Amino acid sequence: MYDILIIYKENDMNISLEHKEALSGLIAAPLVGYTKDGSVDTSFIHDYASLLSSNGVNGVFINGTTGEGMSLTFQERKEVAEKWINTSPKDLSVIIHVGCSSIEESKQLAAHAQQCGADAIGIIGPTFYKPAKMSDLVEFVAAIAQKAPDTPCYYYHMPAINGVDFPMIDFLKEAHGAIPTLAGIKYTFENLMDADLCRQYADGQYNILHGQDETLLCGLTLGATGAVGSTYNFMAPLYVQMIDAFTQGKAEQALKLQRTACDILQCMFECSSYFGAAKVMMRWAGIEINGIRLPLSDIQPHEVAKLKEKLNDVGFFSYSNTTKAATGKEEKIVS
Amino acid sequence: MYDILIIYKENDMNISLEHKEALSGLIAAPLVGYTKDGSVDTSFIHDYASLLSSNGVNGVFINGTTGEGMSLTFQERKEVAEKWINTSPKDLSVIIHVGCSSIEESKQLAAHAQQCGADAIGIIGPTFYKPAKMSDLVEFVAAIAQKAPDTPCYYYHMPAINGVDFPMIDFLKEAHGAIPTLAGIKYTFENLMDADLCRQYADGQYNILHGQDETLLCGLTLGATGAVGSTYNFMAPLYVQMIDAFTQGKAEQALKLQRTACDILQCMFECSSYFGAAKVMMRWAGIEINGIRLPLSDIQPHEVAKLKEKLNDVGFFSYSNTTKAATGKEEKIVS
Amino acid sequence: MYDILIIYKENDMNISLEHKEALSGLIAAPLVGYTKDGSVDTSFIHDYASLLSSNGVNGVFINGTTGEGMSLTFQERKEVAEKWINTSPKDLSVIIHVGCSSIEESKQLAAHAQQCGADAIGIIGPTFYKPAKMSDLVEFVAAIAQKAPDTPCYYYHMPAINGVDFPMIDFLKEAHGAIPTLAGIKYTFENLMDADLCRQYADGQYNILHGQDETLLCGLTLGATGAVGSTYNFMAPLYVQMIDAFTQGKAEQALKLQRTACDILQCMFECSSYFGAAKVMMRWAGIEINGIRLPLSDIQPHEVAKLKEKLNDVGFFSYSNTTKAATGKEEKIVS
Amino acid sequence: MYDILIIYKENDMNISLEHKEALSGLIAAPLVGYTKDGSVDTSFIHDYASLLSSNGVNGVFINGTTGEGMSLTFQERKEVAEKWINTSPKDLSVIIHVGCSSIEESKQLAAHAQQCGADAIGIIGPTFYKPAKMSDLVEFVAAIAQKAPDTPCYYYHMPAINGVDFPMIDFLKEAHGAIPTLAGIKYTFENLMDADLCRQYADGQYNILHGQDETLLCGLTLGATGAVGSTYNFMAPLYVQMIDAFTQGKAEQALKLQRTACDILQCMFECSSYFGAAKVMMRWAGIEINGIRLPLSDIQPHEVAKLKEKLNDVGFFSYSNTTKAATGKEEKIVS
């Protein structure tokens, strides 16, 4: 359907010797839910995966920032990972994020992810101690990645949160060859030039996933063929239309859709908790997801009401999955 | 020529009651030069202006960051401003930046700019004391702007340098109506979503100039019709071709050109001094510009040699103005 | 011995209704060691504890930043905590740091620490997600603390590492009453005014532990009666002498000793890895501690040699525990 | 009177070949005032200088941060400098701060300060462009200092405001010998270890002025013999008593006074504008100083009332100069 966005799935393709593979299109970073007693809730994951897939999402990035991976216990991370891997439709790639503050736990999570059949793993830079030099970071990532030696690995770059802010082009230069399974970078930062230098590095063999929903159109313009984001959870149809417009050269329509996405994001940013707002919106999209762990917090009822009103004004509800989920119909809204 | 990039010039148009005007296309931020005794050199400005104009540049932003405005004395800033206003070709809009640490000196520079016939003024947020709240910033800008009551005014947003980092959409909401001459923002920051929210604010009446050369293509994608930058000084033809490709829907060609621009910028970033490298490149483009003021510094001869080699590899010299300047021919390279 | 530094031990005193207790004097933050296969090594902890105690150290802060708590697995943290609690001499208070990125794991570590008989627990603010407002932070700490309801709790303030940088006086105002076991703050930051406001808050009921070895003398001047630090591991005798001099009003001698401490610290700061240098110095002090986990790294042999030379010049070896440890004698060097 | 605080005055001593001199005790950073039409007001400076001197202040630091030096025009800075130099009592040392964003204007201000007879000059690091390396900073300072070749020069270190944050011990190592008039550093930052390393450098020949009023007692403990601050303007008697207590070894009393100073500072920090609060307090101390320049702002009447109440509670009015100024008596409050 999208000529620039060809979807590869590990089990459908011949993995190259270098264990690289292209993951493309929209990759959602699913939210996590909790039961009333505060333990992790995996009951809705099957429906969640189906909904995403039916809305045009090609993959999921599990246990990352949006998925509160750092707030889960070691056991819970494994439980959530297993559920997503086991219940996702075949056409939904599952990337398991295994980064945490202890490199030893990350190694174990990496081995577990491969054992369960993850399509790829993700590794964020150390979240407490900072690497003093680039080689420390590369060694850190390499040591984890080699515990999943047959699974493509994505470095997760998000300096605004973890403070590890080396230019990624320098990371690639040092990691190239040193991390055999390195497949690309989940580039969640606004340095679009650095991201694009990475995209061209080594004849373009690395898959640089665009990481900020509010500038996806810019990412596409710069050659990104895949993107990871949190709002792909509940408004993928909007982005699918935008990618479609972009691919067909309809610049004006693509911009109009990106602007609607930004209007929606701005409504979220104006809430007291971005994550709290996202969970509300996911429920509106049809998935009964509840709870949040401290230090994150839910938004209050009066905020929910205000958010609904504002989202209605900017057109959110024509792009969320509500109707479809409500009716149970799973044909694509856009086609 | 460019249907989305219509050029308005103050003296060619009927200024609206609100003193707004659109400044579009490429706006270079010229470098400043010094004589051997260290005083400011204005002798080459006439040729510099002609060169820019002949290369497709539509305006200049004088005494800003690239132009070392903050390193000039009060008198020197006036001298440089006058020379650019008086010797620029008619089709080159001249914006005079009047921001400095003293609001009183800024007021005088604003009055002077209007008196000399500047097409617009620019005002950076305070560069030493930080405004405690948005209204302090708006009052600061308003007090300066009203000393040039008939001249469109651009707020100069560059938080990475001066640390004044309010979201610009919030600035516009407070400044709208309070600064009658406010025409737009020179948006030199990577928050492209905030920039675009500004672009749409108040029915799009504000001109949000894209401010980072390395992402101009992203800016165009998001609806920018004008851009201020430092590399437009010596490689405007590349960007003119890129805008042309973008306008004609040739996405691949536009990206190829943006990538070449980034390769060139990366060569500059790798030098010990970005400004020092820029002055060398400007000389290669045909303008005899010399000297630099502390704390900035020139690059050393061995760096110059290495820079030349690297720039040659990435194709800089096919896009700089060298040949044209050397032969004195002024027809556009691109058409 | 030190009239301003009276040592309380939980098992020696009647815990007040509020579960507060004063922990005073020098509290070392022990380093962690690993066996050759990379697993945690607890074999030397008994000797380590004895050495510290014999050198005038009154307490230990286990699994904190110096102790690589964030690099250990959940199981390893429990193992290390148990060993310190079980093998420490009676006069050495043991504080177990239980903070980590998952609040659920922190709760379990808190319960475990109390069960094992820890004298106190420490809780750092969230290390990945940042609390949006003070009440989120207080709720986060409270939820963990209440799993060790009979154990005094110290908030661990170290904004330079985890980016949670609320003024602590504001934290105390909100936490006072809301966290019944709150006993004080491990204040590892240079805002000495804020620390001292905390010290005076609520009639001085909170124990504000000074947290930067390089300014311990300033802390004492401002009324601190206890301090947590990493160099108390291997040069406690110097600090004991300094506290002694301070207590006796010998300002000049106290300053001379603080300056020697700073000279030693400066030698460490000049190494490629502060933690790597600390481990070498601990070995010189007599404890066979090895290994380090990525992203931290050891210092190279040539650095070790240089460090030794520099430390010798500034007099480190007269204050480290070398001789004492070597000879097995445990009488105090200072008395 | 204070054996550790011996006061040297340029005109009373034989300047050493190296043009060093010790400036000690309390150095106030006077506030600036404006007339109703917004121009600078110098009418009260004579009384201001007398008041400071009679309250135990030994020097003034003119046109610095507290004195809004960066908000004044070039001409105004010269006017204010001249007035302070010409009307100050003999026992009040006058340091003229000459730093600004343009090195050329700074050079002229330095020459002017020497010509007018300033006791010393101060130079802040560049306030807009940042030096790329230490040698750029040293060259910047050296170039300005040599325009006042017979006047001791103080480097003004305040990284929190201007972002130039090299360790000062590294600065001294590079500047030593390269800036012949370098006499010391106005160290307005909380890195007390770095400050003290500077204090000991080169056999202690540099005068490292303590720069944060809230930790003056710590500075004294670490060997500082002079301090520059803003609250020495209106509550010098408190600090004089504190220095006295410290010198006499009365640690408890000194701490009590430092805590009162911090309580007062906290009242100021809680205002919407620290500078606005300072001006109000200066008026209460007897000097009719008015106006403020954007982006700084005055505090509102309701804030003034609240401030007065809070300051009364913490005892400010027993330490301000009010009575003395009101009665015109100039004998020292403390003796």
Side-chain angles (χ1 to χ4, degrees):
Chain A
M1 178 183 175
Y2 309 117
D3 50 357
I4 67 157
L5 298 172
I6 303 153
I7 302 157
Y8 299 96
K9 268 288 285 179
E10 189 178 0
N11 47 1
D12 299 339
M13 68 180 290
N14 187 23
I15 303 180
S16 71
L17 279 174
E18 303 86 3
H19 305 286
K20 304 284 177 308
E21 77 173 319
L23 206 61
S24 72
L26 297 176
I27 299 159
L31 295 150
V32 74
Y34 304 95
T35 62
K36 283 190 178 161
D37 69 2
S39 58
V40 95
D41 181 6
T42 61
S43 65
F44 54 78
I45 291 178
H46 176 269
D47 290 347
Y48 199 160
S50 299
L51 181 68
L52 292 174
S53 172
S54 70
N55 275 308
V57 168
N58 294 333
V60 285
F61 189 85
I62 302 302
N63 290 334
T65 303
T66 304
E68 290 175 68
M70 301 302 182
S71 293
L72 301 183
T73 66
F74 181 71
Q75 289 305 327
E76 288 171 336
R77 286 179 73 153
K78 294 206 279 190
E79 196 183 333
V80 171
E82 284 175 34
K83 191 66 181 280
W84 276 97
I85 293 170
N86 294 335
T87 71
S88 286
K90 287 212 160 189
D91 61 356
L92 194 71
S93 293
V94 181
I95 313 168
I96 303 299
H97 178 243
V98 302
C100 63
S101 64
S102 164
I103 190 173
E104 289 305 314
E105 290 193 341
S106 285
K107 285 177 184 175
Q108 292 174 35
L109 290 172
H112 174 263
Q114 172 165 313
Q115 194 177 0
C116 296
D119 294 302
I121 59 169
I123 304 172
I124 199 168
T127 62
F128 188 79
Y129 301 105
K130 303 287 171 281
K133 54 188 186 300
M134 183 63 86
S135 60
D136 293 340
L137 176 60
V138 171
E139 280 180 45
F140 178 89
V141 175
I144 298 166
Q146 74 181 9
K147 295 296 178 183
D150 304 316
T151 310
C153 157
Y154 284 80
Y155 177 67
Y156 181 3
H157 183 51
M158 189 170 51
I161 298 241
N162 75 347
V164 180
D165 63 356
F166 297 110
M168 283 297 97
I169 184 62
D170 294 342
F171 171 80
L172 274 193
K173 285 176 183 171
E174 185 127 358
H176 184 60
I179 306 177
T181 54
L182 189 65
I185 298 174
K186 172 180 178 328
Y187 199 105
T188 309
F189 190 48
E190 55 261 359
N191 190 335
L192 298 175
M193 170 173 162
D194 180 42
D196 197 48
L197 288 175
C198 292
R199 203 165 280 126
Q200 297 167 79
Y201 183 72
D203 297 321
Q205 79 174 255
Y206 293 104
N207 184 17
I208 309 304
L209 298 165
H210 186 83
Q212 299 194 310
D213 309 5
E214 58 268 41
T215 54
L216 175 54
L217 185 55
C218 298
L220 296 173
T221 302
L222 294 181
T225 54
V228 183
S230 55
T231 61
Y232 310 154
N233 279 305
F234 40 72
M235 48 192 260
L238 184 155
Y239 296 104
V240 169
Q241 286 183 32
M242 188 179 89
I243 293 169
D244 215 15
F246 173 80
T247 309
Q248 297 170 19
K250 297 175 181 170
E252 221 167 305
Q253 195 189 332
L255 175 54
K256 194 164 164 291
L257 287 157
Q258 178 67 71
R259 284 178 167 172
T260 298
C262 286
D263 289 341
I264 294 168
L265 280 157
Q266 183 73 348
C267 295
M268 297 174 72
F269 293 152
E270 288 168 3
C271 288
S272 65
S273 163
Y274 177 84
F275 294 94
K279 294 212 179 180
V280 169
M281 292 164 79
M282 198 67 227
R283 287 199 290 275
W284 287 335
I287 300 299
E288 255 321 301
I289 194 163
N290 287 287
I292 199 160
R293 278 201 181 148
L294 285 162
L296 301 180
S297 61
D298 277 318
I299 61 173
Q300 299 303 309
H302 72 274
E303 273 197 291
V304 174
K306 197 171 175 186
L307 176 63
K308 190 167 203 167
E309 197 184 314
K310 287 160 69 178
L311 285 177
N312 195 51
D313 288 351
V314 297
F316 169 71
F317 294 98
S318 10
Y319 296 106
S320 75
N321 313 304
T322 310
T323 322
K324 189 165 40 64
T327 61
K329 289 183 196 166
E330 303 213 343
E331 63 273 347
K332 289 203 178 166
I333 279 177
V334 290
S335 65
Chain B
M1 176 183 176
Y2 309 118
D3 50 356
I4 68 157
L5 298 171
I6 303 153
I7 300 155
Y8 299 96
K9 268 288 284 179
E10 190 177 359
N11 46 0
D12 299 339
M13 66 179 292
N14 187 23
I15 302 181
S16 72
L17 280 174
E18 302 88 2
H19 303 288
K20 304 283 178 310
E21 78 174 316
L23 205 62
S24 72
L26 297 176
I27 299 158
L31 295 150
V32 72
Y34 303 94
T35 60
K36 282 189 179 164
D37 69 2
S39 59
V40 94
D41 180 7
T42 61
S43 64
F44 55 76
I45 292 179
H46 176 269
D47 290 347
Y48 198 161
S50 299
L51 181 68
L52 292 174
S53 173
S54 71
N55 274 308
V57 168
N58 294 333
V60 285
F61 189 84
I62 302 302
N63 291 335
T65 303
T66 305
E68 290 174 70
M70 301 301 182
S71 292
L72 301 183
T73 67
F74 182 71
Q75 289 305 327
E76 288 171 336
R77 285 179 74 152
K78 294 207 278 190
E79 194 182 335
V80 170
E82 283 175 35
K83 191 66 182 280
W84 276 98
I85 293 170
N86 294 335
T87 70
S88 286
K90 286 213 160 189
D91 62 356
L92 194 71
S93 292
V94 180
I95 312 167
I96 303 298
H97 178 244
V98 302
C100 62
S101 64
S102 165
I103 191 174
E104 288 305 315
E105 290 192 341
S106 285
K107 285 177 184 176
Q108 293 174 36
L109 290 173
H112 174 264
Q114 173 165 313
Q115 195 177 359
C116 296
D119 293 303
I121 60 169
I123 303 172
I124 199 167
T127 61
F128 189 79
Y129 302 105
K130 303 287 171 281
K133 53 189 188 300
M134 182 63 85
S135 60
D136 293 340
L137 176 60
V138 172
E139 280 181 45
F140 177 89
V141 175
I144 298 165
Q146 74 181 9
K147 296 296 180 184
D150 305 316
T151 309
C153 157
Y154 283 80
Y155 178 66
Y156 181 3
H157 183 50
M158 188 170 51
I161 298 242
N162 75 346
V164 179
D165 63 356
F166 297 110
M168 283 297 98
I169 184 63
D170 295 341
F171 171 79
L172 273 193
K173 284 176 183 170
E174 185 127 359
H176 185 60
I179 307 177
T181 54
L182 190 65
I185 298 173
K186 171 180 179 325
Y187 200 104
T188 308
F189 190 48
E190 55 261 0
N191 191 335
L192 297 176
M193 169 173 162
D194 180 43
D196 197 47
L197 288 174
C198 292
R199 204 165 279 126
Q200 296 168 78
Y201 183 72
D203 297 321
Q205 79 175 255
Y206 294 103
N207 184 19
I208 310 304
L209 299 165
H210 186 82
Q212 298 194 310
D213 309 5
E214 58 269 40
T215 55
L216 175 53
L217 184 56
C218 298
L220 296 173
T221 301
L222 295 181
T225 54
V228 182
S230 55
T231 60
Y232 310 155
N233 279 304
F234 41 72
M235 48 193 259
L238 183 156
Y239 295 104
V240 169
Q241 286 183 33
M242 188 179 87
I243 293 169
D244 213 16
F246 173 80
T247 309
Q248 296 170 19
K250 298 175 179 168
E252 220 166 306
Q253 195 188 334
L255 176 54
K256 194 165 165 291
L257 287 157
Q258 178 68 71
R259 285 178 167 173
T260 299
C262 285
D263 289 341
I264 294 168
L265 280 156
Q266 183 73 349
C267 295
M268 296 175 74
F269 293 152
E270 288 169 2
C271 288
S272 64
S273 163
Y274 178 85
F275 294 95
K279 294 212 179 180
V280 168
M281 292 163 79
M282 197 68 227
R283 287 199 290 275
W284 288 335
I287 300 299
E288 255 321 301
I289 194 163
N290 287 287
I292 200 161
R293 277 199 183 151
L294 285 163
L296 301 179
S297 60
D298 277 318
I299 60 174
Q300 299 303 308
H302 71 275
E303 275 198 290
V304 174
K306 197 172 175 186
L307 176 63
K308 191 167 202 168
E309 196 183 315
K310 286 160 70 178
L311 286 177
N312 195 52
D313 287 351
V314 297
F316 169 70
F317 294 100
S318 9
Y319 296 105
S320 74
N321 313 303
T322 311
T323 322
K324 189 166 38 62
T327 61
K329 288 183 196 166
E330 303 214 343
E331 64 273 346
K332 289 206 179 165
I333 280 178
V334 288
S335 65
Chain C
M1 177 181 177
Y2 308 117
D3 49 359
I4 67 157
L5 298 171
I6 303 153
I7 302 155
Y8 300 97
K9 267 288 284 181
E10 189 177 1
N11 45 2
D12 298 339
M13 67 179 291
N14 188 23
I15 302 182
S16 71
L17 279 175
E18 303 86 2
H19 304 286
K20 303 285 179 308
E21 78 174 317
L23 205 62
S24 71
L26 297 176
I27 299 158
L31 295 150
V32 74
Y34 304 94
T35 60
K36 283 191 177 159
D37 70 0
S39 58
V40 95
D41 181 6
T42 61
S43 64
F44 56 77
I45 291 179
H46 176 269
D47 290 347
Y48 198 160
S50 300
L51 180 68
L52 291 174
S53 173
S54 70
N55 274 308
V57 168
N58 294 333
V60 285
F61 189 86
I62 302 301
N63 290 336
T65 303
T66 305
E68 290 175 69
M70 302 301 183
S71 292
L72 302 182
T73 67
F74 181 70
Q75 289 305 327
E76 288 171 336
R77 285 179 73 152
K78 294 206 279 191
E79 195 182 333
V80 170
E82 283 175 35
K83 190 66 182 280
W84 276 97
I85 292 170
N86 294 335
T87 71
S88 286
K90 285 212 161 189
D91 61 356
L92 194 71
S93 292
V94 180
I95 312 167
I96 303 298
H97 178 244
V98 302
C100 62
S101 65
S102 164
I103 191 173
E104 289 305 314
E105 290 192 340
S106 286
K107 285 177 185 175
Q108 293 174 35
L109 290 173
H112 174 264
Q114 173 165 313
Q115 194 177 359
C116 296
D119 294 302
I121 59 168
I123 303 172
I124 199 168
T127 61
F128 188 79
Y129 301 107
K130 303 287 171 281
K133 54 189 185 301
M134 182 63 86
S135 60
D136 293 341
L137 175 61
V138 171
E139 280 181 45
F140 177 89
V141 175
I144 298 165
Q146 74 181 9
K147 295 296 179 184
D150 305 316
T151 309
C153 157
Y154 284 80
Y155 177 67
Y156 181 3
H157 182 53
M158 188 171 52
I161 298 242
N162 75 346
V164 180
D165 63 356
F166 297 110
M168 282 298 98
I169 183 63
D170 294 341
F171 172 79
L172 273 193
K173 284 176 185 172
E174 185 127 359
H176 185 60
I179 307 177
T181 53
L182 189 65
I185 297 173
K186 171 179 178 327
Y187 200 106
T188 308
F189 191 48
E190 54 261 2
N191 191 334
L192 297 176
M193 169 173 162
D194 180 43
D196 197 48
L197 289 174
C198 291
R199 204 165 280 126
Q200 297 167 77
Y201 182 72
D203 297 320
Q205 80 175 254
Y206 292 104
N207 184 17
I208 310 303
L209 299 165
H210 186 83
Q212 298 194 311
D213 310 4
E214 59 268 42
T215 54
L216 175 54
L217 185 56
C218 298
L220 296 173
T221 301
L222 295 181
T225 54
V228 183
S230 55
T231 61
Y232 309 155
N233 279 304
F234 40 72
M235 48 192 260
L238 184 155
Y239 295 105
V240 169
Q241 285 183 32
M242 188 178 89
I243 293 169
D244 215 16
F246 173 79
T247 310
Q248 297 170 20
K250 298 176 180 166
E252 221 166 306
Q253 195 188 333
L255 176 53
K256 195 165 163 290
L257 287 156
Q258 178 68 71
R259 284 178 168 173
T260 298
C262 285
D263 289 342
I264 294 168
L265 280 156
Q266 183 73 349
C267 295
M268 296 174 73
F269 294 152
E270 289 169 2
C271 288
S272 65
S273 163
Y274 177 86
F275 294 94
K279 295 213 178 180
V280 169
M281 291 163 80
M282 198 67 226
R283 286 198 291 275
W284 288 334
I287 300 300
E288 257 319 303
I289 194 163
N290 288 286
I292 200 161
R293 279 201 181 148
L294 286 163
L296 301 179
S297 60
D298 277 317
I299 60 173
Q300 299 303 308
H302 72 275
E303 274 196 292
V304 174
K306 197 171 176 187
L307 176 63
K308 191 167 202 168
E309 195 184 315
K310 286 160 70 176
L311 286 176
N312 195 53
D313 288 350
V314 297
F316 169 71
F317 294 99
S318 11
Y319 296 106
S320 75
N321 312 303
T322 310
T323 322
K324 189 167 37 65
T327 62
K329 290 183 194 163
E330 304 214 341
E331 63 272 347
K332 288 203 176 168
I333 279 178
V334 289
S335 65
Chain D
M1 177 182 178
Y2 308 118
D3 50 358
I4 69 156
L5 298 171
I6 303 153
I7 300 155
Y8 300 96
K9 269 288 284 180
E10 189 176 1
N11 46 2
D12 299 338
M13 66 180 291
N14 188 24
I15 303 182
S16 70
L17 278 174
E18 303 86 2
H19 303 287
K20 303 286 178 308
E21 79 173 318
L23 206 61
S24 73
L26 297 176
I27 299 158
L31 295 150
V32 74
Y34 304 94
T35 62
K36 283 190 177 160
D37 68 1
S39 59
V40 95
D41 181 6
T42 60
S43 64
F44 54 78
I45 292 178
H46 176 270
D47 290 347
Y48 199 160
S50 300
L51 181 68
L52 291 174
S53 173
S54 71
N55 274 308
V57 168
N58 293 334
V60 285
F61 189 85
I62 302 302
N63 290 336
T65 304
T66 305
E68 290 175 69
M70 301 301 183
S71 292
L72 301 183
T73 67
F74 181 71
Q75 289 305 327
E76 288 171 338
R77 285 179 74 152
K78 295 205 279 190
E79 195 182 334
V80 171
E82 283 175 35
K83 191 65 181 281
W84 277 98
I85 293 170
N86 294 336
T87 71
S88 287
K90 285 213 161 189
D91 62 356
L92 194 72
S93 293
V94 180
I95 312 167
I96 302 298
H97 178 244
V98 301
C100 63
S101 65
S102 164
I103 192 174
E104 289 305 315
E105 290 192 340
S106 285
K107 286 178 184 174
Q108 294 174 35
L109 290 173
H112 174 264
Q114 173 165 311
Q115 195 177 359
C116 295
D119 293 302
I121 59 169
I123 304 172
I124 199 168
T127 61
F128 189 78
Y129 301 106
K130 304 288 171 280
K133 54 187 184 302
M134 181 63 85
S135 60
D136 292 340
L137 176 60
V138 172
E139 280 181 45
F140 178 89
V141 175
I144 298 166
Q146 72 181 11
K147 296 295 179 184
D150 304 316
T151 309
C153 157
Y154 284 80
Y155 178 66
Y156 182 2
H157 182 52
M158 189 170 51
I161 298 241
N162 75 345
V164 179
D165 64 356
F166 296 110
M168 282 298 97
I169 183 62
D170 294 341
F171 171 80
L172 273 194
K173 284 176 184 172
E174 185 128 359
H176 184 60
I179 307 177
T181 54
L182 189 65
I185 298 173
K186 171 179 179 326
Y187 199 105
T188 309
F189 190 47
E190 55 262 0
N191 191 335
L192 297 176
M193 169 173 161
D194 180 42
D196 197 47
L197 289 175
C198 292
R199 204 166 279 127
Q200 297 167 79
Y201 183 71
D203 297 320
Q205 80 174 254
Y206 293 104
N207 184 18
I208 311 303
L209 299 165
H210 186 82
Q212 298 195 311
D213 308 5
E214 59 269 41
T215 54
L216 175 54
L217 185 55
C218 298
L220 295 173
T221 301
L222 294 181
T225 54
V228 183
S230 54
T231 61
Y232 310 155
N233 279 304
F234 40 72
M235 48 192 260
L238 185 155
Y239 295 104
V240 169
Q241 286 183 33
M242 187 179 88
I243 293 169
D244 214 15
F246 173 80
T247 310
Q248 297 170 18
K250 299 175 180 169
E252 221 166 305
Q253 194 188 332
L255 176 54
K256 195 165 164 289
L257 287 157
Q258 178 67 72
R259 284 178 168 172
T260 298
C262 286
D263 289 341
I264 294 169
L265 280 156
Q266 184 72 348
C267 295
M268 297 175 73
F269 293 152
E270 288 169 2
C271 288
S272 65
S273 163
Y274 177 85
F275 293 95
K279 295 213 178 180
V280 169
M281 291 164 80
M282 198 67 226
R283 287 198 290 274
W284 287 335
I287 300 300
E288 257 320 302
I289 194 164
N290 287 287
I292 200 161
R293 278 200 182 150
L294 285 163
L296 301 179
S297 60
D298 277 317
I299 61 174
Q300 298 303 309
H302 73 274
E303 274 197 291
V304 174
K306 198 172 175 187
L307 176 63
K308 191 167 203 167
E309 197 183 313
K310 286 159 71 176
L311 286 177
N312 195 52
D313 288 351
V314 297
F316 169 71
F317 294 100
S318 8
Y319 296 106
S320 75
N321 313 302
T322 309
T323 323
K324 189 167 37 66
T327 62
K329 290 182 194 165
E330 304 213 340
E331 63 272 346
K332 287 203 177 169
I333 280 179
V334 290
S335 64

